[in-house]
Amino acid sequence: MRIKELAMSRIRFGYQRILVLLQREGWLVGKKLVYRLYREQGLQVKTKRRKKLACQNRGRLEPAKVSNERWSMDFVTDRLEDGRYFRVLTIVDQYDRNSPGLLAAPSFSGAKLRDYLDEIAKQRAYPRSITCDNGSEFCSRVFDSWAHLHNIRIDYIRPGKPVENGYIESFNARLRDECLNVSLFSSITDAKEKLEIWRQDYNQNRPHSSLGNLAPATFSAAALGQDQHRKNSLSTAKN
């Protein structure tokens, strides 16, 4: 079962990489056993390159039940006034739709991604898992090592299936419609400032239909209050 779970989330990993992941988790298994079980479940990876071909279906993830349980991440592209392109790293919490961060830069690497996520974690801790596509930054060794170091599961969507990361797709649409398409950016610094202003307004004020028209911060505070009330009630009942 664990081999299948790993194969479904790491859709381009063969049995040898899955063996490494199992051994990291403490499973006392050998190469031959993993290979046999891997083949019995039909999890072999096709190595022939084909455009947007998913090598394996992945299981449907359960909805997040608390803040910081699952994040979604992606990149969007825009242009400065002088015509130069830049990218924006977008992040959203799947539970309360809060955006922990937006980062604009001419380009990204696995190291830059790691450093920015560490900065965010200083303010709100690390998530339990992150859903993202198979972009080079998300599949880099640096990012994989960072995730392993902080015990974060990376859930990769199937190539050509952005609907499997609908939270970030919806967020990106709002970002483009309400910020990128109505703003001019003279420089990367200017883009960072305007993106941060929009992010703060999105988190603190913007009504979100899926949250009962509450802003993400208001919804999160209400959920925290309800959770605390539930714990107090259980404590009182035990006493």
Side-chain angles (χ1 to χ4, degrees):
M1 290 177 65
R2 185 56 183 153
I3 289 172
K4 186 173 182 180
E5 289 173 357
L6 291 171
M8 296 294 259
S9 62
R10 301 281 193 166
I11 61 174
R12 293 303 301 169
F13 276 20
Y15 80 94
Q16 294 189 65
R17 287 184 181 272
I18 288 178
L19 171 63
V20 173
L21 296 179
L22 288 170
Q23 291 174 342
R24 282 182 181 178
E25 295 177 359
W27 292 85
L28 300 177
V29 292
K31 186 175 180 179
K32 291 183 179 180
L33 174 61
V34 172
Y35 180 67
R36 177 172 61 81
L37 297 175
Y38 182 84
R39 286 186 60 86
E40 286 178 359
Q41 298 183 76
L43 301 174
Q44 297 93 326
V45 174
K46 295 180 181 179
T47 57
K48 183 177 179 181
R49 290 183 177 273
R50 295 180 181 176
K51 186 177 181 181
K52 293 186 177 181
L53 176 64
C55 67
Q56 195 67 238
N57 292 326
R58 63 192 293 272
R60 185 178 180 83
L61 295 174
E62 292 294 325
K65 297 180 175 61
V66 294
S67 297
N68 244 37
E69 181 178 358
R70 290 199 185 101
W71 290 358
S72 286
M73 296 198 309
D74 198 7
F75 290 99
V76 296
T77 303
D78 209 326
R79 288 192 301 178
L80 302 176
E81 288 187 69
D82 60 12
R84 288 180 296 158
Y85 283 92
F86 68 94
R87 303 177 75 196
V88 181
L89 171 66
T90 58
I91 311 172
V92 69
D93 190 302
Q94 294 184 16
Y95 175 70
D96 57 19
R97 310 305 197 274
N98 184 284
S99 174
L102 291 173
L103 179 63
S107 61
F108 282 87
S109 64
K112 181 176 288 188
L113 178 61
R114 173 202 61 197
D115 293 344
Y116 184 61
L117 293 175
D118 281 335
E119 288 183 19
I120 294 176
K122 292 177 182 178
Q123 304 297 323
R124 54 177 292 156
Y126 294 96
R128 298 177 189 174
S129 70
I130 296 175
T131 304
C132 56
D133 61 25
N134 293 266
S136 58
E137 298 86 359
F138 299 137
C139 293
S140 67
R141 291 186 178 180
V142 173
F143 184 67
D144 180 69
S145 297
W146 172 85
H148 174 65
L149 176 64
H150 298 291
N151 196 29
I152 299 171
R153 188 180 74 249
I154 306 300
D155 296 313
Y156 293 101
I157 67 173
R158 289 179 291 171
K161 299 289 183 180
V163 68
E164 293 181 352
N165 202 2
Y167 295 101
I168 200 66
E169 292 297 321
S170 176
F171 178 80
N172 289 348
R174 303 288 78 75
L175 172 65
R176 187 165 295 283
D177 183 52
E178 299 171 12
C179 180
L180 299 180
N181 287 349
V182 297
S183 303
L184 295 175
F185 306 110
S186 59
S187 64
I188 294 295
T189 300
D190 182 46
K192 287 181 178 179
E193 292 174 353
K194 291 176 179 176
L195 285 167
E196 180 61 19
I197 291 172
W198 182 85
R199 187 184 74 87
Q200 292 291 343
D201 181 66
Y202 175 91
N203 287 341
Q204 302 295 329
N205 303 310
R206 186 188 184 281
H208 204 297
S209 59
S210 65
L211 303 179
N213 286 325
L214 296 176
T218 306
F219 176 83
S220 182
L224 184 62
Q226 291 175 0
D227 185 58
Q228 187 61 45
H229 177 71
R230 190 181 303 110
K231 289 180 179 180
N232 292 339
S233 298
L234 290 173
S235 178
T236 302
K238 289 180 180 180
N239 293 334

